[in-house]
Amino acid sequence: MKYVLMFVDTEEYEKELAAMTGDERAEAVRQVEKWFADHAGKARMGGKLQPAHTATTVRLPRGGGEPMITDGPFVEGKEVVSGFCEIDVEDLDEALRMVRSWPACPTVEIRPVETMPAGR
């Protein structure tokens, strides 16, 4: 079963990161690298996203017409997706076991990847 893990930062977590010393931040990065190494057989394709203010949002009108393009994220909020990866595991329980040991941002959304019919 394939899932996408979406790593969600909060304002509080961003403040904690900003307050870290260089060595503490380097250790935090090492912990994330170790998590990916520990799950190398299951975790694939992913990355850290640029900050939310770098986003461009495209709203496509139903029924045609010109899309509306705006700078910034599609929602203003206290939580923002900061990274993602795809995992291939047996089931949701295995995904939950993996996520329980995630060492970074405080929220991880687990979403199943929908299988598209052949020919699409």
Side-chain angles (χ1 to χ4, degrees):
M1 183 90 195
K2 290 185 180 178
Y3 294 91
V4 170
L5 305 181
M6 290 179 281
F7 305 113
V8 182
D9 285 350
T10 60
E11 288 178 352
E12 183 178 319
Y13 183 70
E14 288 295 320
K15 288 176 188 174
E16 289 174 18
L17 285 176
M20 288 181 177
T21 66
D23 288 343
E24 290 170 331
R25 215 172 352 273
E27 178 57 26
V29 169
R30 278 192 289 278
Q31 291 298 318
V32 169
E33 290 170 345
K34 181 183 181 318
W35 186 90
F36 276 102
D38 289 347
H39 300 288
K42 309 270 183 193
R44 301 173 172 61
M45 186 187 86
K48 174 106 174 98
L49 300 174
Q50 295 279 333
H53 73 273
T54 66
T56 299
T57 300
V58 179
R59 287 183 176 81
L60 302 169
R62 293 281 186 226
E66 285 297 311
M68 183 172 66
I69 301 169
T70 55
D71 291 336
F74 66 95
V75 294
E76 293 295 327
K78 296 182 186 283
E79 295 184 338
V80 106
V81 175
S82 61
F84 66 95
C85 78
E86 181 181 285
I87 60 172
D88 193 351
V89 294
E90 197 63 36
D91 54 23
L92 179 59
D93 290 335
E94 186 176 1
L96 288 167
R97 284 191 296 276
M98 285 177 70
V99 168
R100 281 189 175 97
S101 64
W102 175 247
C105 55
T107 303
V108 179
E109 181 177 330
I110 303 170
R111 193 176 300 181
V113 175
E114 188 170 330
T115 304
M116 300 299 285
R120 282 187 96 184

